[in-house]
Amino acid sequence: MLIVPERQIPDLLTRSASFTAVEKVFAAMAAGQAYNFPVIREAIGHEDALYGFKGGFDRDGHTLGLKAGGYWPHNLEKRGLINHQSTVFLFDPDSGMISAMVGGNYMTALRTAAASAVSIQHLARPDAKVIGMIGAGHQATFQLRAALEQRPFEKVIGWNLHPEMLPNLAAVAEEAGLPFEAVELDGMTEADVIITITSSFAPSLLAQHVSPGTHIACMGTDTKGKQELEAALLGSATVFADEIDQSITLGEAQHAIATGLISRDDITEIGAVINGTHPGRSSAEEITLFDGTGVGLQDLAVAAAVVDLAVEQGVAIEVDF
Ligand code: NAD
């Protein structure tokens, strides 16, 4: 089996390789060639940790495996380690033998950023100029960098409940040579694309903050109870998701579904747009919305890309097993 340690991954994995892997696996999911296994997530009653598994099988990509990991809230203060910890295990789909073990922490950030980038590539207006960010934490900087590569954006605007974190976004805008402006939520009407990436349990982005023609990528809501958008926005938008089951149970759509504003049939897998079986955006006025909940197959696809890159560059560690 091959091992690719966490420390090597930032030097191996590019945003472009992550984008390609995620776009392909979304396409395979919509074509019925790849599916995610039920997610396990447990409060283990130790260190206040949440631990679980996300797995799946991609017949097209010949990728089978799981990501194991979770959230250890005291890691940083007690051990100087990051609170999110995960590892991906890949298996040979022909024999069932383990084929690789790959550090999952940095990869998770890039695969999540790739998902909103794929949605922007396929659903945002081609003339999008202003990108708006709601959220300015760890993941927001990854989302913004990947998004900026999808359209010739001319300006970044941002809002965050904790304004002292906004310099994180300003730094990414500056890196890309773009102006950054901190705005109130009303100011989001200037945005052609909005990414939400907060850990909020109550809506921040309301219908009145969104202009016609905007594409919204909702990336923060990945658990029952979390919410970033007023549910009415889902009622007035054309809604896409990475996976419909997750979208309606733990994604942003959970609230609009629970209140009957939309039904499951109103949500389309983004892979259908990638495959050309759904036309995607139909007009310059339509609001498109992507509910990116984060699926195990994204992790496996990006991990498989990391293994290929590590082998190509001669840095994969081979062990007998
Ligand atoms: P972080 O802790 O670094 O940042 C949290 C962000 O949420 C900050 O901008 C903070 O100001 C904001 N926030 C906190 N409480 C808020 C509230 N009550 N209302 C509005 N904003 C609030 O976390 P992160 O690593 O950037 O992750 C952000 C979110 O993205 C989390 O909910 C995480 O679970 C989710 N996430 C989703 C995926 C996916 O695949 N969809 C992947 C990774 C992370």
Side-chain angles (χ1 to χ4, degrees), residues 54 71 84 108-109 111-112 115 134-140 143 159-162 165 197-202 204 218-223 226 228 242 292-295 298:
K54 278 185 165 185
Y71 187 68
H84 288 277
T108 299
R111 69 77 148 142
T112 305
I134 308 255
H138 171 73
Q139 195 56 49
Q143 304 302 133
W159 176 88
N160 195 46
L161 184 69
H162 309 103
M165 296 167 85
I197 182 75
T198 70
S199 45
S200 178
F201 281 80
S204 307
C218 314
M219 303 304 299
T221 299
D222 57 359
T223 305
K226 282 189 186 171
E228 300 188 285
D242 44 13
T293 60
V295 293
Q298 270 170 271

Side-chain angles (χ1 to χ4, degrees), residues 6-269:
E6 183 67 46
R7 67 184 143 76
Q8 276 177 349
I9 296 177
D11 292 333
L12 287 170
L13 185 60
T14 59
R15 283 192 291 282
S16 142
S18 309
F19 183 101
T20 305
V22 168
E23 187 183 45
K24 261 195 196 154
V25 82
F26 283 168
M29 282 164 60
Q33 290 300 311
Y35 75 107
N36 293 287
F37 305 155
V39 175
I40 307 275
R41 200 162 161 86
E42 294 284 318
I44 59 172
H46 179 71
E47 289 286 338
D48 300 321
L50 285 175
Y51 176 69
F53 314 104
K54 278 185 165 185
F57 176 45
D58 176 0
R59 198 178 296 279
D60 276 356
H62 207 63
T63 311
L64 172 70
L66 60 93
K67 177 164 92 169
Y71 187 68
W72 273 259
H74 312 303
N75 264 2
L76 190 60
E77 71 194 69
K78 279 196 185 171
R79 305 176 184 83
L81 294 172
I82 62 171
N83 294 348
H84 288 277
Q85 291 293 333
S86 65
T87 310
V88 174
F89 299 88
L90 297 175
F91 296 83
D92 177 351
D94 298 332
S95 66
M97 281 191 68
I98 188 159
S99 58
M101 185 168 105
V102 186
N105 298 347
Y106 181 76
M107 235 171 46
T108 299
L110 278 200
R111 69 77 148 142
T112 305
S116 54
V118 165
S119 83
I120 293 167
Q121 180 60 40
H122 289 278
L123 294 169
R125 291 194 333 271
D127 64 348
K129 298 271 186 294
V130 178
I131 182 159
M133 296 294 300
I134 308 255
H138 171 73
Q139 195 56 49
T141 58
F142 287 89
Q143 304 302 133
L144 179 56
R145 273 194 202 94
L148 290 176
E149 289 166 349
Q150 309 311 319
R151 290 289 183 274
F153 288 109
E154 294 174 357
K155 184 178 175 186
V156 180
I157 62 178
W159 176 88
N160 195 46
L161 184 69
H162 309 103
E164 67 279 9
M165 296 167 85
L166 286 171
N168 292 338
L169 300 177
V172 176
E174 192 182 338
E175 221 175 81
L178 296 178
F180 173 78
E181 190 187 332
V183 295
E184 295 303 321
L185 282 163
D186 283 342
M188 276 294 150
T189 50
E190 192 191 345
D192 304 303
V193 170
I194 299 174
I195 299 178
T196 61
I197 182 75
T198 70
S199 45
S200 178
F201 281 80
S204 307
L205 190 71
L206 309 181
Q208 72 202 52
H209 303 140
V210 179
S211 293
T214 303
H215 173 64
I216 313 170
C218 314
M219 303 304 299
T221 299
D222 57 359
T223 305
K224 264 196 174 61
K226 282 189 186 171
Q227 184 172 11
E228 300 188 285
L229 268 61
E230 180 180 19
L233 263 168
L234 283 94
S236 58
T238 308
V239 183
F240 300 85
D242 44 13
E243 191 198 75
I244 295 172
D245 281 345
Q246 280 202 178
S247 169
I248 65 176
T249 52
L250 51 81
E252 194 61 43
Q254 62 182 290
H255 310 286
I257 289 277
T259 52
L261 271 167
I262 62 168
S263 72
R264 183 190 175 95
D265 294 344
D266 295 318
I267 309 176
T268 304
E269 278 195 332

